[in-house]
Amino acid sequence: MGLCFIQEAWSTDSANLSSSSGQEAFKGLNSEKSAEGHLESYQDSSQTGEKIDPEISPSSIPSKVEAEGGSGIQGDGVVPEALEPFRPVKPEEKIQDLRESSIDSEMDSRKALQEKKVIKEVKVEGIHRVDRQAILDHLPDQSYCTQEELDVFVKNLFNSGLFKEVFVSLEKEILFVKVQENPSIAEVRFEGNSQISRSDLKEDATLEPRDIFSKEVVANEVKRIVQLYSNKGYYAVKVHPFIQRLKQNRVNIIFRIQEGNQSYNKKIRFLIDSKSPNFSDRTLKNVITSLESRWWRILGDPAECYDKARVEYDCDLLRKHYYKNGYLDARVTAHTQLAKNREHFYITFCVHEGHQYCISSVKIKSEIKDLDLKGLESHITLGKGDIFDAEMPERVSIRMAQELEKRGLPFIEVRPVIDKDEQKKEVSLCFVARKAPIVYVGKIFMKGNYATNDEVFRRILKLSEGDPLSVNKVNNSKELLENMDFFESVEVKPISTGHPNIQDVVVEVKEKGTGDVKFSGGYSTQDGIIGQIGLEERNLLGRALYGNLNCMVAQHGMDFRVGVANPFCFGRNLTLGGALFYNRFRSTTKGNFSGQGAYKQSAGGGDVYARYPLSSRLSQSWGYSVHADHISHFSPYMSPYILENMWKRYNVLNASLEHKLDYARANVENGEYVSGTGVQWSTIFHGVGGEIKCLKNIVMASHYIPLNDEKTFLLKFEVQGGFINRMGYMRFSDQFTLGLFSFPGFRFSGLGPRDERTGDALFAKCYYTASVKLYWGLDFLGIPKETPLKAVAFAYTGSLWNSIFGKRDNYAYILSQGFQNRASYGVGLMWMLPMVGNIGFLFSKPFQLQRWDQTQTFLFVWGQSF
């Protein structure tokens, strides 16, 4: 009795890999004649000196005659059936004979399989690394065994993955086990990878040194590598595995990677089954996150690369968009097609719009007797005749439940009941208040927060041990944790404890990187050549501390700043922070940063601040700053007013206390304001220590108005002004100045009070500016809205007046000492680039000015907001 089992299953898997992932199958893995150290490839078996089919070798399988104990017929081995006597039988007799013979054969087989054979000795051959006992452990009884148990024994040996071949035979009560071990892996190497680091390739590798080599494991590793590249948009990747045979039955596995190019979204289309679609392609493209590949994204954008998960997410966004606009029967599917070059994808979103539904009625009901529902109707944002928004009922229900909870009714829930009339295309909406289960919070558990301390979660959560447990608090806690931007995913879920009124709460998160590195550089008319690097960490030490380090070096100055802030100081919604800084810059009184009006100013010190909200839109902050200032490199030809003001005052200590109120009611999309209002009022008192004595008040307000639904036309109004009350010694540079980006059309310090004799700007204690800006996308040129290129037209008006200096003699007058208004207008192009910021240019022309003002028509922008 003998049984031979050879494990060779690579050929089929390899072919599947080649067809699905663009990889090539390689052959010759089982060659025992290849020289040590020689690479064997699945592609080219000529390297091994012989071509071996990866299927089972015919020589290793007993012939049919030998296996069945035949008569040893020679020749072609075919039995001459025509020599047997022919005796016709009736059909029913033949069927009966077949049944009887089949039953007898099956019973004989079962009897043979179950017949126990004695084993007095087990001999194992061919093992080098594997322990002998590890083989015998697969045999249930080493004294007796049946043929069925022997089959299971062989299968178990193969399933262990340790052996390439297994041969078992029982002769004269001696069990012979001959095996050929799979090689062990000495080293796993990756070659040709540049887009994915070797550490990332090895992070979740299924092959490790000292593992046992098998073709299945190599195939799985190839699939894993291909999937890693696919996640990054490299669908044309090819992975070629090689083996390098070593002594002592060891091998090196080498994966040679041909990365190819990233697969981009070449075209995104929308097929809508409506004769008159309600939304244009441009509107729908603004809804989804996937982007078409475009040349103007010089640094690239991950949204340009094809991502299956992103496309599925876009389908959800489109569905929500239609539901939000009343299309409750809308259906969205996506179809993708990969180009022949495997570098471009064509994405088609198929949209079934259906009909638009309106609201027929809105009601509020209560299943609780004597429940006061007064005031809940104020949370309803839509009424009869309005287009139904599918997201509105859930939002309103949450706000109503929160309102009841504030009234001391925690175990009440509000559920929206929607009745859709498909014939009339109307929706009746009813908010029903009913009792919720009385459940309290038992224990709170945190999972997945390897870098974030538990205390960070506890101060964010709206739940504590012993509190009433409500769906509103769970959802609110989940939303607050997601807004921290520390986690890829957040789950807050109650779990049963066995007590009907107590549930534990599990907060499970998946953390993500919270550090950022920012580089930028460029040139601006004001600062010259600029280089900047910034480091930020939003979760410093795992305690949600914010830390930053910024370094800016420019042609006309430099600035270094390091700071840290705690946004939840003392367990409250209080931000307490501080920073150390040093800056040095070149300023001018004549608009020329290297001429006679130039001087240098530097400051080094630190500041502390505290900020906290007064309401959902209003916040207040206090700050204290102290720094040593140094001013130097004055020209002897500078204004006598300035020289006298700075005489023996080149080094001063400046300390100030600042109070600030911020009101924000604005909507932000993609990091830019698109609508709303913002107001800021700052009061700075210089004189809490130091030599400078004055009080500054500055007010700034802005208002954004989108002129179309797609927000491609945006109107911005901005007003700001300030005044200084002098309370002691002040330097001329402690005053306000205008020009360049603060007032296009004029040079730096190009307007305001000026010395008539020298032409030096003297700065001033009062100023105001008002501006209107119109931003619009260049879609009329066929450029989509997502293009970071936009045009701007602007108009400014303002003034700078009332310098600290007065008339000193009959020959020296201060020009523009009183209020004299200026105005300018202009146009420009802005291009928003990652890490760099705005880049573009502005053309402006003053049309209201004084003859002594210094103008500048062209401004080059790089990294400067406007």
Side-chain angles (χ1 to χ4, degrees), residues 36-37 129 182-187 213 244-252:
E36 179 187 343
R129 297 183 312 276
N182 276 326
S184 66
I185 299 174
E187 182 184 3
F213 168 81
Q244 185 179 34
R245 296 192 178 276
L246 306 174
K247 293 181 179 179
Q248 300 176 351
N249 199 22
R250 296 178 303 126
V251 294
N252 290 336

Side-chain angles (χ1 to χ4, degrees), residues 738 743 751 768-770 796-801 819-823:
L738 290 177
F743 205 129
L751 68 154
Y768 97 92
T769 60
Y796 272 77
T797 183
S799 184
L800 183 70
W801 72 97
F819 181 89
Q820 293 177 330
N821 203 67
R822 275 83 163 177

